[in-house]
Amino acid sequence: MKTISIIVAIDKRNAIGNKGDQLAYIREDLRRFKQFTTGHTIVMGRRTAEALPKGALPNRKNVVLSRSSDWQKEGFTVVKTIQQAIDEAADDELYVIGGGEIYNLFIQSANRLIITEIDYTFDEADTYFPTIDKTLWHISETTDYATDEKSGLRYRYVTYER
Ligand SMILES: NC(=O)c1ccc[n+]([C@@H]2O[C@H](COP(=O)([O-])OP(=O)(O)OC[C@H]3O[C@@H](n4cnc5c(N)ncnc54)[C@H](OP(=O)(O)O)[C@@H]3O)[C@@H](O)[C@H]2O)c1
């Protein structure tokens, strides 16, 4: 079976966004995101798709979940169900890139969680990643903390496998 990976940056309380935007932009984390996802299929919610400043992400198959038939945008394939999204990836690896509703939908089907843990609490958050059930998931890799030069935020990468 192909791998379904969730890729997400969370704060100390699992917060992931506020008012439609990400909580932080960590340069090294964005580079890593690109490295993981390039050449593969990515799936996102309609709200996350609309927030992408330059539209569909290049060199990836961009799949969007929406309940509406009206939503269309160049570079995106729109689907209505989780199964259609999985089918769009065919034998390719599928990366689930957010946001909150879409992470909630896919956490039961995913076999890998690629998490960036930001060592900070963003009080202004309104969107959260679901609780990771430690009876279902084990940590397969953890890095040391690094510090983002621009924001001063400390972060590390943690990978979970089912
Ligand atoms: N920290 C991170 O790594 C990260 C990554 C990505 C996004 N984010 C943040 O997450 C926030 C956005 O998340 P969100 O939860 O508001 O929105 P979202 O998950 O991006 O999109 C929600 C939309 O997805 C569609 N949808 C949801 N469930 C569906 C289902 N069962 N079947 C078909 N379509 C479905 C609906 O679209 P329609 O309304 O069109 O039907 C819904 O409005 C933003 O703040 C963003 O910056 C953070």
Side-chain angles (χ1 to χ4, degrees):
M1 192 182 79
K2 72 180 161 241
T3 308
I4 300 177
S5 297
I6 282 181
I7 186 160
V8 63
I10 62 175
D11 86 345
K12 288 172 86 166
R13 292 195 302 211
N14 278 19
I16 64 163
N18 186 43
K19 297 191 175 81
D21 201 1
Q22 310 250 2
L23 296 172
Y25 289 89
I26 294 172
R27 200 188 175 126
E28 186 55 31
D29 186 38
L30 296 174
R31 191 195 60 74
R32 187 172 183 255
F33 173 88
K34 188 175 173 189
Q35 201 172 45
F36 267 113
T37 57
T38 294
H40 298 293
T41 305
I42 53 177
V43 58
M44 69 200 90
R46 194 260 308 158
R47 288 208 280 270
T48 292
E50 282 192 345
L52 290 175
K54 294 179 188 160
L57 298 179
N59 306 319
R60 281 149 277 196
K61 182 172 188 179
N62 287 240
V63 178
V64 178
L65 264 163
S66 172
R67 293 187 184 88
S68 155
S69 316
D70 304 337
W71 198 87
Q72 277 183 13
K73 213 170 170 186
E74 198 189 331
F76 294 97
T77 302
V78 187
V79 296
K80 286 192 170 172
T81 67
I82 182 168
Q83 190 54 51
Q84 284 171 342
I86 291 170
D87 291 346
E88 282 294 333
D91 291 329
D92 185 19
E93 189 152 349
L94 181 65
Y95 285 89
V96 180
I97 69 159
E101 290 188 18
I102 268 44
Y103 289 136
N104 261 305
L105 265 186
F106 275 91
I107 196 158
Q108 284 88 356
S109 328
N111 9 59
R112 183 166 65 149
L113 309 177
I114 302 166
I115 310 248
T116 302
E117 285 184 357
I118 302 170
D119 189 28
Y120 189 79
T121 302
F122 291 86
D123 290 325
E124 294 294 289
D126 62 13
T127 312
Y128 289 82
F129 191 74
T131 303
I132 299 168
D133 182 346
K134 303 287 164 47
T135 65
L136 296 176
W137 295 95
H138 69 274
I139 292 177
S140 60
E141 202 186 327
T142 310
T143 65
D144 291 335
Y145 278 101
T147 302
D148 177 49
E149 251 180 49
K150 197 167 176 205
S151 62
L153 289 167
R154 256 164 48 95
Y155 64 96
R156 66 173 181 171
Y157 303 124
V158 182
T159 309
Y160 291 83
E161 314 268 349
R162 202 181 265 284

